[in-house]
Amino acid sequence: VQLQASGGGSVQSGSSLRLSCLTSGFALEDYAVGWFRQFPGKEREVVACINNDRAIFYEDSVKGRFAISRDNAKSTLYLQMDSLRPEDTAVYFCAAERVIYYSNSHNSCPPRWGYNSWGQGTQVTVSS
């Protein structure tokens, strides 16, 4: 299982970016997938996910601005980020796992420990 994230960059507040995560070694449609971000000095936190049952969840601060999707034919996971804010500045990571069991699966993303496969980070910097 391999994941390779790309698409980060430096943009102005209000701009858009689309992150991509090219995957290989597994069938993307059969996996739970997610995007995480990490602020300096902080732990990695979830941004959005697609669960094993195809349910999609978002962290509250990105609802209505970010959209997670995947193209199974291209083996690629995406994170469309619109209306970017300076507080979105972080390193973004993609993650995948075949099956994740966790509490509150009906209304939230799996925790970080649920994923065993990670892409390298891609830096997103938003200036005001």
Side-chain angles (χ1 to χ4, degrees):
V1 175
Q2 292 189 323
L3 300 92
Q4 184 175 355
S6 62
S10 296
V11 297
Q12 295 284 328
S13 181
S15 298
S16 298
L17 280 174
R18 188 176 77 161
L19 304 184
S20 298
C21 178
L22 179 63
T23 70
S24 61
F26 65 102
L28 182 59
E29 62 267 30
D30 293 336
Y31 274 59
V33 292
W35 285 98
F36 287 72
R37 63 186 177 185
Q38 189 165 15
F39 303 109
K42 303 291 186 180
E43 292 188 350
R44 206 167 294 185
E45 62 180 42
V46 69
V47 175
C49 67
I50 304 175
N51 282 355
N52 288 117
D53 61 358
R54 309 296 194 262
I56 294 176
F57 299 108
Y58 296 95
E59 190 270 326
D60 285 346
S61 70
V62 308
K63 286 180 180 177
R65 300 189 299 123
F66 290 13
I68 187 173
S69 63
R70 60 185 171 190
D71 185 330
N72 297 326
K74 295 183 178 179
S75 300
T76 303
L77 176 68
Y78 299 102
L79 183 69
Q80 178 67 40
M81 305 187 295
D82 298 325
S83 302
L84 282 162
R85 304 168 180 169
E87 54 264 40
D88 294 318
T89 296
V91 179
Y92 286 71
F93 299 84
C94 52
E97 185 55 52
R98 178 63 182 88
V99 179
I100 304 175
Y101 298 103
Y102 63 106
S103 58
N104 299 321
S105 60
H106 62 288
N107 63 1
S108 66
C109 287
R112 184 178 69 252
W113 52 257
Y115 299 91
N116 288 312
S117 299
W118 293 85
Q120 86 291 0
T122 184
Q123 176 71 48
V124 172
T125 302
V126 185
S127 57
S128 57

